[in-house]
């Protein structure tokens, strides 16, 4: 059972986290721009930072689970259920502790988008595996006759 995280997994997770930071941080900055540039920038950095960390951790978790369940015929389902549960539970608990009044409406968009993204991510991992499997199959090369073998056969 694989336990180590590959460099490719780290790079994919990091790039996903950068995208999360940019999209969610940019959105938070944009929707709060009417409250002043300083406040909008701070909110964008906070939301972007949270999104970076959550996206990085969830991508690594997805990569690890995908490798963990390699032998299972239900690999995709196990990964999706586990990651989607975490995508719901972590923000729910954070907002519950913060006393957020509209928890469901607050976390629903992130949960839906995160679950869709995770599905695409897992399908991408599945495609990478299929490509690797195709290139790992060793085909025994045809033995070519050399000059001496051809000459002695005549």
């Amino acid at each position: 059972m694989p336990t180590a995280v590959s460099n490719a997994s780290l790079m994919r997770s990091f790039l996903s986290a950068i995208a999360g930071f940019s999209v969610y941080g940019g959105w938070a900055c944009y929707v709060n721009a009417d409250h002043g540039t300083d406040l909008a920038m701070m909110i964008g950095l906070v939301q972007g930072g949270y999104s970076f960390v959550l996206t990085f951790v969830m991508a690594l978790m997805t990569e690890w689970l995908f490798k963990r369940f390699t032998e299972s015929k239900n690999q995709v389902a196990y990964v999706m259920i586990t990651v989607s549960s975490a995508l719901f539970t972590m923000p729910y608990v954070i907002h519950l502790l913060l006393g957020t009044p509209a928890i469901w409406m607050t976390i629903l968009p992130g949960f839906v988008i995160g679950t869709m993204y995770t599905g695409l991510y897992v399908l991408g991992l599945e495609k990478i595996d299929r490509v690797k499997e195709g290139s790992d199959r060793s085909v025994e090369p045809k033995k070519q006759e050399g000059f001496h073998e051809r000459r002695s056969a005549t």
Side-chain angles (χ1 to χ4, degrees):
M1 172 173 31
T3 55
V5 177
S6 71
N7 286 339
S9 294
L10 285 171
M11 184 55 75
R12 282 190 297 268
S13 299
F14 181 73
L15 292 174
S16 296
I18 292 291
F21 176 88
S22 301
V23 170
Y24 286 110
W27 174 253
C29 189
Y30 171 74
V31 299
N32 288 286
D34 291 344
H35 302 286
T37 305
D38 290 344
L39 183 61
M41 292 297 287
M42 183 193 69
I43 291 169
L45 288 172
V46 168
Q47 181 63 40
Y50 168 81
S51 296
F52 179 92
V53 171
L54 183 62
T55 303
F56 186 72
V57 169
M58 297 312 290
L60 282 177
M61 181 178 171
T62 301
E63 295 264 353
W64 183 82
L65 287 168
F66 190 81
K67 289 177 184 147
R68 168 74 173 82
F69 292 116
T70 297
E71 301 301 319
S72 173
K73 64 181 177 180
N74 298 317
Q75 177 187 30
V76 172
Y78 290 152
V79 173
M80 288 299 301
I81 289 168
T82 306
V83 173
S84 293
S85 296
L87 282 171
F88 175 80
T89 304
M90 286 190 289
Y92 182 83
V93 169
I94 289 168
H95 284 286
L96 187 65
L97 293 172
L98 288 172
T100 302
I103 295 176
W104 297 103
M105 293 308 292
T106 301
I107 67 173
L108 187 62
F111 172 70
V112 170
I113 292 168
T115 300
M116 289 171 35
Y117 177 78
T118 300
L120 292 173
Y121 198 96
V122 170
L123 291 175
L125 292 175
E126 211 174 29
K127 186 175 181 176
I128 290 168
D129 263 11
R130 279 195 309 271
V131 169
K132 279 184 185 175
E133 285 175 8
S135 66
D136 286 347
R137 292 188 190 130
S138 57
V139 177
E140 196 169 308
K142 254 204 282 189
K143 185 177 178 185
Q144 294 185 351
E145 292 180 9
F147 176 76
H148 296 290
E149 288 86 6
R150 274 185 280 176
R151 204 153 185 239
S152 64
T154 56

